[in-house]
Amino acid sequence: KSGSERQVRSEIGQSAELQLSGHKINETNEIESLQTCDCWSRECDYCSNLDCAVKHDLTKSPLSVTSTADKILLNSVVLYNTAGLELGKFQWNKRGVYLTGCVACRTPRQIKSLLRSTQGPSTWNFSLQKGLLKLRVRGGPEVNSTEPVEGVYSSQLIGECARHYQEVSYFSFYKMGCDNTFSLVDGMVAGSRFSANCAGSCSAL
């Protein structure tokens, strides 16, 4: 692990329960690329409406997000448990990788080098299996090259952190913008607002 990595235990604040009434879902058996529809809106009850979330067990398969990392602004994935309670956020940018209340570290050197040397957006594969936070980043080709490059980071959660994030069952996106996408794979169930244009809030891809 990177020497700059630090894991902290903290008291996790109580989160508001998601509103489940009128929830509609769409199922797919094919890999599909959808925009990262922003849950921070009145229509999504500011990230508390499952119509703006995706049902998915992160302990079984990773979440794959294609995005451009900024130096300051954070890309944020909101995580919820089986009861629909918000657990926290997984966040990243060029400077750091964060998991609310549990992980806060500088972006690992291998990934930072990847982001600096490649062109365009990168694909971030994020999973939580048996308390192991694993991040695999695949970037575009380096300048003057046609081969993609890849970086890997992992961190074992312990104690309260491991227990708190052991049942991630839903996720949504917080202020990610319309230019980023994620892979809707077999087994995922998307809320009704995950349409081709995020229910009108984005231009269609």
Side-chain angles (χ1 to χ4, degrees), residues 70-88:
D70 189 78
K71 287 184 178 180
I72 299 176
L73 298 177
L74 288 165
N75 289 320
S76 302
V77 178
V78 187
L79 305 174
Y80 309 91
N81 67 9
T82 55
L85 299 176
E86 181 180 330
L87 298 172

Side-chain angles (χ1 to χ4, degrees), residues 4-191:
S4 61
E5 173 191 339
R6 60 186 177 88
Q7 290 185 323
V8 295
R9 296 185 185 185
S10 66
E11 182 177 353
I12 308 296
Q14 185 175 3
S15 302
E17 185 171 358
L18 292 176
Q19 297 179 4
L20 298 175
S21 60
H23 179 54
K24 299 177 182 179
I25 58 176
N26 301 312
E27 292 195 58
T28 180
N29 292 319
E30 299 177 355
I31 297 177
E32 184 179 359
S33 182
L34 295 179
Q35 290 162 304
T36 53
C37 304
D38 185 10
C39 67
W40 193 252
S41 67
R42 181 181 299 177
E43 293 77 13
C44 293
D45 296 323
Y46 302 100
C47 300
S48 62
N49 184 341
L50 282 183
D51 285 341
C52 304
V54 178
K55 186 176 182 180
H56 179 55
D57 186 351
L58 273 174
T59 66
K60 294 183 178 179
S61 62
L63 165 63
S64 181
V65 181
T66 299
S67 69
T68 300
D70 189 78
K71 287 184 178 180
I72 299 176
L73 298 177
L74 288 165
N75 289 320
S76 302
V77 178
V78 187
L79 305 174
Y80 309 91
N81 67 9
T82 55
L85 299 176
E86 181 180 330
L87 298 172
K89 294 182 179 72
F90 173 65
Q91 300 175 299
W92 69 93
N93 61 13
K94 287 187 176 181
R95 295 183 176 180
V97 176
Y98 311 94
L99 183 64
T100 302
C102 294
V103 174
C105 71
R106 294 179 185 272
T107 300
R109 184 176 301 175
Q110 184 183 24
I111 295 177
K112 183 178 291 186
S113 176
L114 179 154
L115 296 175
R116 186 170 54 245
S117 64
T118 60
Q119 307 173 74
S122 302
T123 298
W124 298 67
N125 291 290
F126 160 64
S127 65
L128 267 171
Q129 298 179 328
K130 296 183 179 179
L132 179 65
L133 166 65
K134 186 176 291 186
L135 180 63
R136 184 180 298 273
V137 183
R138 187 177 178 85
E142 294 182 315
V143 178
N144 300 323
S145 173
T146 58
E147 294 297 322
V149 292
E150 191 172 87
V152 179
Y153 163 80
S154 64
S155 178
Q156 181 66 54
L157 303 184
I158 58 175
E160 180 60 28
C161 285
R163 289 189 290 272
H164 185 71
Y165 285 103
Q166 67 182 350
E167 290 185 345
V168 177
S169 299
Y170 294 89
F171 66 84
S172 63
F173 300 99
Y174 174 76
K175 296 186 176 180
M176 288 274 292
C178 298
D179 295 331
N180 303 310
T181 62
F182 76 101
S183 296
L184 187 71
V185 300
D186 186 21
M188 288 185 178
V189 181

